[in-house]
Amino acid sequence: MSAAGLLLRDRVLASAALAALGVLSWAYLLTGAGMDMRGMGMPMVRPEWTPGYFAVMFAMWVVMMAAMMLPSAAPMILLHVRMSRERRTRGGAPLSSGLFVLGYVAVWTAFSALATAAQWALEQAALLSPMMDAESRGLAGALLIAAGLYQLTPLKRACLRHCRSPLDFVMTHWREGRAGALAMGCRHGAYCLGCCWMLMLLLFVGGVMNLAWIAGLAALVLVEKLFPGGQWVARLTGLVLLVGGSAVLVGG
């Protein structure tokens, strides 16, 4: 097969794998998230945090982060597939790019563990409802204001710049081989985490099980990273969050 044919095959396989992961992740959320137990007449009881329940919540966070973050990372992943094939890295393009994705997902898996622990702590302090949204206006307002401030920081801008420039990232952070691909995935995941971690914590405001809130935050991340003017959208979002958080605190 020609080099062009191999590259096309790699891109098709990578695109199909990403699409499958996205569909499966969102299917999981559709079946397990957005279920209003109050509307179904089910009792609103705080769960007991057994090791098994922690594992279920951790798995939910991992799938949720994959559903929300992988679409915005798709251009970077597909570019890695192309560069990996063109540079003929050891191990082949599909495997190397698979390790790149693994490194990226590993960063968000670590975040998911911390988010699950934060959820446990907030529920133990009776700051979250059984639907996993903030019962405390103080908590909701503080998270909104913190997210708004972070949107305006130099760190946010720097991380977003890396996320919006896949080619620049590849040219400055390329590593050969399987270990290099894994390291690149971790590094790109770290930039992505630095860009979006405060937005992900807003799930505690709108509800970890609120499907509309999840989709809205995912759409915001996609616009910030992939659309023209995304950096200005991030700044405008920061101002809106500041105003919204202040209104919540004043109203409380």
Side-chain angles (χ1 to χ4, degrees):
M1 186 180 294
S2 66
L6 288 172
L7 177 58
L8 177 61
R9 185 197 65 181
D10 293 343
R11 289 179 64 86
V12 169
L13 288 174
S15 298
L18 286 173
L21 281 174
V23 168
L24 289 174
S25 298
W26 280 103
Y28 173 87
L29 295 178
L30 285 169
T31 57
M35 298 176 60
D36 189 346
M37 293 183 289
R38 287 164 290 198
M40 298 170 61
M42 297 178 65
M44 301 296 290
V45 179
R46 294 190 185 278
E48 180 183 356
W49 278 79
T50 63
Y53 184 76
F54 188 97
V56 170
M57 289 296 100
F58 171 62
M60 181 193 71
W61 274 96
V62 171
V63 173
M64 188 160 54
M65 292 302 99
M68 297 176 74
M69 304 311 303
L70 280 176
S72 66
M76 179 67 247
I77 295 169
L78 293 177
L79 180 59
H80 188 276
V81 170
R82 176 182 174 181
M83 296 296 293
S84 183
R85 172 60 66 187
E86 289 180 350
R87 295 170 69 100
R88 299 180 181 276
T89 56
R90 185 164 55 91
L95 180 56
S96 295
S97 296
L99 289 170
F100 178 90
V101 175
L102 180 62
Y104 180 86
V105 171
V107 172
W108 282 103
T109 298
F111 172 82
S112 297
L114 294 175
T116 306
Q119 181 183 334
W120 170 81
L122 291 171
E123 287 195 8
Q124 295 304 301
L127 294 175
L128 291 184
S129 74
M131 287 300 293
M132 304 177 206
D133 57 354
E135 282 195 323
S136 163
R137 295 179 70 90
L139 173 64
L143 285 174
L144 288 168
I145 289 174
L149 289 172
Y150 188 75
Q151 289 286 101
L152 305 175
T153 62
L155 179 58
K156 165 75 180 192
R157 291 196 297 273
C159 291
L160 181 57
R161 184 172 63 252
H162 280 282
C163 291
R164 287 180 57 84
S165 305
L167 182 59
D168 181 67
F169 177 85
V170 166
M171 297 304 293
T172 56
H173 298 289
W174 183 266
R175 298 291 184 274
E176 298 287 354
R178 299 177 183 178
L182 183 63
M184 283 182 67
C186 290
R187 183 180 290 271
H188 185 62
Y191 282 125
C192 188
L193 179 64
C195 179
C196 302
W197 71 280
M198 274 303 308
L199 290 177
M200 296 302 102
L201 291 185
L202 293 182
L203 288 165
F204 291 127
V205 176
V208 177
M209 297 293 285
N210 185 330
L211 190 60
W213 191 251
I214 295 169
L217 288 174
L220 175 59
V221 169
L222 203 65
V223 169
E224 283 190 358
K225 292 186 177 182
L226 302 186
F227 282 62
Q231 65 273 28
W232 294 106
V233 172
R235 296 176 189 179
L236 177 60
T237 300
L239 296 176
V240 171
L241 290 172
L242 286 172
V243 172
S246 300
V248 168
L249 291 179
V250 172

